[in-house]
Structure formats: C-alpha cells, structure tokens
Amino acid sequence: ERFSRQLILKNIGTNGQKKILSSKILIVGVGGLGDDQQNSYSLFELGIEIERLERTLEDRESQLKVLGDIVLDREIESDLFVAGKPLKDGWIVSSFGQRPDPFTGKLAFHSGIDFTNGRPGSEIDTVAAGVVVWSGPKSKYGLTVEVDHGNGFTTRYSHAEKLFVSVGDVVKKGQSIASVGSTGRSTGPHVHFEIYKNGRVVDPASYINRTDR
C-alpha cells in the first residue's frame, strides 16, 4: 500500500508575507508483498518443493529407523550375552572341576559351580535372555530350569525349591526363574549352576565376571 503527501516549505519575509520556497513529494512505504511478489511460486514449482520436502522427511524417517534397529539389535545382543551369576548376593561354596564328593568323600568331577546366600527361597535369576527348554525335576539335579540362549549356549539352574517358568517361555536377562532350595542330591539350600557351550560343559567361572565387548 502506498500514498503521497505534499510538503510545502514557507519563508516568513520581512513584510510578513509568506513565500513558498519549494515543495516536495514524500513517498511513504509500509510492509507487505507487492503485486509482483505475490505469485513468486507457480503451482508447478510449489509441487516440486513439496515433493522435495516429502523426500527429505522420508530419508530422515529411514535414518531414524536404521538407528532404532541398531540400538535394538545391540540391546538384544547384550541380553543374549552369557555373563554374571544366578544369585545376586550369593557366594561360591563349591567350584567347577575335581572335588571330594559331599556324600562319599571320594574325588569326583563337579560339572558346575554351587552358589548360596544362606537364605532358602531366594530368587534365582537367568544370566542371559533365552528360551526355557527344561523346567521340572531332573534326577539328581532336583527341580531344574534349563535355558537356551542361542549361539550354542545353554545354562542350567538346579536344586530349586520352586520353579517360576515353563518350557517354551521366553525369559529376559536377570529374570527370576526359580527359588533356592535343596531338592535332588543336595546337602543344603543352594543353586547348582552349569554352562554348556556347543553341547559341552564349561567352567562357569569364566563367565561370572565376563564383560560385553
């Protein structure tokens, strides 16, 4: 919007008469688009710009999805990583390998590590995520849970008082799966913990303080 105003400069003479010295036209402007700016984008150009913005948004959504998948894969990998002990505040009372049998006194191979905290009924936790492949009594092991973690790893938790999971259950790392007891061939409340790698029993001590790379 534009408008003009005439400014008249006057001079007072000695005789008191006013004389017009000059006149100027002042052009005063205010904000707003001029007529030549209102159609700076044609419909065709506008359509191209919208498509460009849509592609940018799609690219960013794809990038965010990839990043999300990477984080999720990393979390899953960490959960499946076999590490830690089945009793958070427990200590080792019998190690892996040759030892005197607690019933006969003769030297015998011990296929796992025994943990206790002196409190029957304490929660036994998984050391990695996986699928329960056994949950129930197992001869000398008493009430037992076995979890398949993939990558050739399976863990066994024995002599439990109660079992909290069933075969086929998917368990998370650190999930409570049973309680400490003394079922089976046992002299007192504890959890017998075994680790199998590709079908062969290995020393759990190598995995208790294992850290994810």
Side-chain angles (χ1 to χ4, degrees), residues 81-85 92 95-96 112-113 115 127 153 193-195 197 201-213:
F81 190 76
V82 177
K85 56 185 182 180
I92 296 173
S95 299
F96 178 88
I113 289 180
F115 290 91
V127 296
F153 283 99
F193 177 55
E194 294 181 357
I195 296 180
K197 184 177 181 180
V201 67
V202 296
D203 188 353
S206 303
Y207 297 85
I208 293 174
N209 296 314
R210 188 183 184 209
T211 54
D212 195 356
R213 294 175 295 278

Side-chain angles (χ1 to χ4, degrees), residues 169-208:
D169 286 353
V170 176
V171 294
K172 299 179 180 179
K173 186 181 184 72
Q175 180 176 330
S176 177
I177 56 172
S179 61
V180 173
S182 188
T183 57
R185 193 171 184 267
S186 170
T187 59
H190 71 287
V191 53
H192 174 80
F193 177 55
E194 294 181 357
I195 296 180
Y196 288 82
K197 184 177 181 180
N198 298 322
R200 298 183 61 180
V201 67
V202 296
D203 188 353
S206 303
Y207 297 85
I208 293 174

Side-chain angles (χ1 to χ4, degrees), residues 85-176:
K85 56 185 182 180
L87 276 181
K88 294 177 182 177
D89 57 348
W91 60 87
I92 296 173
V93 292
S94 186
S95 299
F96 178 88
Q98 296 293 329
R99 65 161 191 180
D101 185 283
F103 289 92
T104 66
K106 295 180 180 180
L107 200 62
F109 179 73
H110 188 227
S111 57
I113 289 180
D114 292 342
F115 290 91
T116 189
N117 59 9
R119 297 192 302 274
S122 297
E123 293 182 346
I124 299 171
D125 302 330
T126 57
V127 296
V131 178
V132 177
V133 293
W134 183 278
S135 181
K138 199 177 185 73
S139 63
K140 64 180 181 179
Y141 289 100
L143 291 178
T144 297
V145 174
E146 293 179 3
V147 180
D148 187 340
H149 307 288
N151 297 319
F153 283 99
T154 302
T155 53
R156 177 180 290 169
Y157 312 80
S158 299
H159 305 304
E161 180 181 68
K162 293 181 181 179
L163 306 179
F164 305 149
V165 293
S166 302
V167 172
D169 286 353
V170 176
V171 294
K172 299 179 180 179
K173 186 181 184 72
Q175 180 176 330
S176 177

